[in-house]
Amino acid sequence: MAYYSYKNHVIYTEDLFSGQPLNRLPETGEVIWLFRRPPLAGRETFAVTDPALLTVSEGPETLDASTPAPPLPPELTAAIAAGRVRAVNGAHPRWEELLNLPPRREKVRVSLLALGDVGSTLAMGLKLLGGDVISTLGLCDVREKVPERWEFELGQIATELPRVEIVRPEAVFDCDVFLFCASQFVPDTAVKKGDVRMAQYELNRPLAAAYARQARACGFRGMFCVVSDPVDPLCRAALLESNRSEAGELDFQGLFPHQVRGFGLGVMNARARYYAQRDPRFADFLSDGRSYGPHGEGLVVANSLSRYDGALSRELTEKTKHANLDMREMGFKPYVAPALSSGALSLLSCLRGEWQYSSTYLGGVFMGARNRLSPNGPALERLPLPSDLLARLGETMEQLRGIG
């Protein structure tokens, strides 16, 4: 392993490299750990928050702080502890673009596509709560008069920011954050059984893919956020389709994995808290529990990390997973809590650099976990995880890989 200077960056790598060798690691500034693996096999850039992340395979172990760390030079260990190290995949054909991540803006421009039940409720949440991080909220919908209706409504909410404006479909990527809330099919309240979310996949996938290709054509470098169901498979479809040429071949010229994010796990964590507040058996979740995985089948709720109980965790998982069906049994569509807990609240926390629940790319799938946007890239929460919980997370990731 050696340090190099390359285009005003400090590179640390074990591979042969064309940069200028350095005798020692500078005491300040970012350090790029340059690794190599096939493009889109995992994350292309991320914050190195623990020495173990330099060697661990991407998967459930990435979330486990018990993973042993490799021996490293003391100065590099100190740089990791100081939050100065970021990983970049040198095997990606556009790896040099990853050397300079766009600076996080104090306030961003948001484009929200589709103002149905979820989209309009999400827009209300962003208008009411997002003035500190959103400058402009752009509204887009292909249905006649729908954007005008919501611009008129939201414009009369007495908050100075964010400003609300109408965005035409061809300009929807003239923003920093794109919110995909569109859907070709939303089951009505007569549907009360099965995985309602996955029933939407075959119809919503082509729609997400079309906007992903538009993002590619625009050279979009902001955040492509999926709120529509099923969140996590649609994230993967958007990432892959944006990286295909017109001939259908992967050419890696589209979105980077860190640009795509799914907002579906926030409401699952909120639902688990709802049940934990009402049943003393689940009370540990309120202080020590965690939620992982997708917004739907494959969800993993841990009743507690320090006092993990497999049976209680699975019971709480089932209650959380089927809360949407309980709402349908009442005769209503379950969209308010998802739009606000997964959508508005989680997105705003993300933009503020705070810990929140959302799905990011991990080992070739989009996996929900607590994470944040750190100054040097996306960072996943890492805590000591029980072996039984790790096994459940492994099953979920394999299940997600099986969705085409």
Side-chain angles (χ1 to χ4, degrees), residues 232-263:
D232 312 85
L234 289 181
C235 284
R236 189 182 184 196
L239 175 65
L240 294 177
E241 290 303 318
S242 79
N243 280 283
R244 294 192 192 279
S245 67
E246 291 185 4
E249 301 294 329
L250 285 173
D251 62 4
F252 313 111
Q253 298 301 307
L255 298 166
F256 287 112
H258 70 273
Q259 292 180 256
V260 183
R261 185 177 292 262
F263 286 95

Side-chain angles (χ1 to χ4, degrees), residues 54-66:
L54 300 185
T55 53
V56 68
S57 299
E58 275 201 7
E61 296 78 12
T62 309
L63 303 169
D64 183 16
S66 305

Side-chain angles (χ1 to χ4, degrees), residues 171-212:
V172 76
F173 286 104
D174 184 15
C175 65
D176 305 299
V177 178
F178 169 71
L179 298 178
F180 180 83
C181 299
S183 183
Q184 294 277 35
F185 166 64
V186 178
D188 62 27
T189 55
V191 179
K192 298 180 173 65
K193 294 182 179 180
D195 192 344
V196 177
R197 305 172 188 94
M198 285 308 298
Q200 300 173 260
Y201 182 54
E202 291 304 320
L203 289 174
N204 288 346
R205 188 187 189 284
L207 192 57
Y211 280 95

Side-chain angles (χ1 to χ4, degrees), residues 109-111 138 140 165-175 178 211 214 218 220:
R109 298 163 300 155
V110 174
S111 287
C140 182
E165 63 184 27
I166 295 170
V167 176
R168 307 262 54 100
E170 61 273 15
V172 76
F173 286 104
D174 184 15
C175 65
F178 169 71
Y211 280 95
Q214 183 178 340
C218 294
F220 183 58

Side-chain angles (χ1 to χ4, degrees), residues 307-389:
R307 293 176 294 277
Y308 181 75
D309 183 306
L312 277 178
S313 293
R314 290 181 184 276
E315 183 179 348
L316 185 54
T317 297
E318 290 303 305
K319 283 181 171 291
T320 301
K321 192 166 60 178
H322 296 131
N324 66 320
L325 298 179
D326 293 340
M327 179 62 73
R328 287 177 174 275
E329 286 287 348
M330 296 182 201
F332 301 99
K333 293 180 184 179
Y335 66 86
V336 175
L340 296 177
S341 289
S342 287
L345 294 174
S346 294
L347 173 65
L348 293 174
S349 291
C350 179
L351 295 177
R352 293 169 184 143
E354 300 168 350
W355 291 104
Q356 38 71 41
Y357 284 96
S358 57
S359 295
T360 58
Y361 203 56
L362 185 67
V365 299
F366 279 85
M367 180 71 175
R370 201 161 177 257
N371 67 87
R372 73 184 184 98
L373 288 177
S374 74
N376 61 329
L380 290 165
E381 182 185 56
R382 302 183 75 249
L383 296 168
L385 301 182
S387 58
D388 288 354
L389 177 57

Side-chain angles (χ1 to χ4, degrees), residues 13-82:
T13 183
E14 62 182 3
D15 300 319
L16 293 174
F17 192 69
S18 58
Q20 178 67 36
L22 297 174
N23 294 326
R24 61 183 180 85
L25 183 69
E27 296 181 0
T28 60
E30 184 179 61
V31 180
I32 299 292
W33 171 54
L34 200 66
F35 67 96
R36 293 183 179 275
R37 67 169 165 231
L40 297 186
R43 297 175 292 175
E44 308 293 6
T45 188
F46 56 90
V48 179
T49 56
D50 188 303
L53 293 176
L54 300 185
T55 53
V56 68
S57 299
E58 275 201 7
E61 296 78 12
T62 309
L63 303 169
D64 183 16
S66 305
T67 307
L72 294 177
E75 69 276 11
L76 183 60
T77 301
I80 292 173

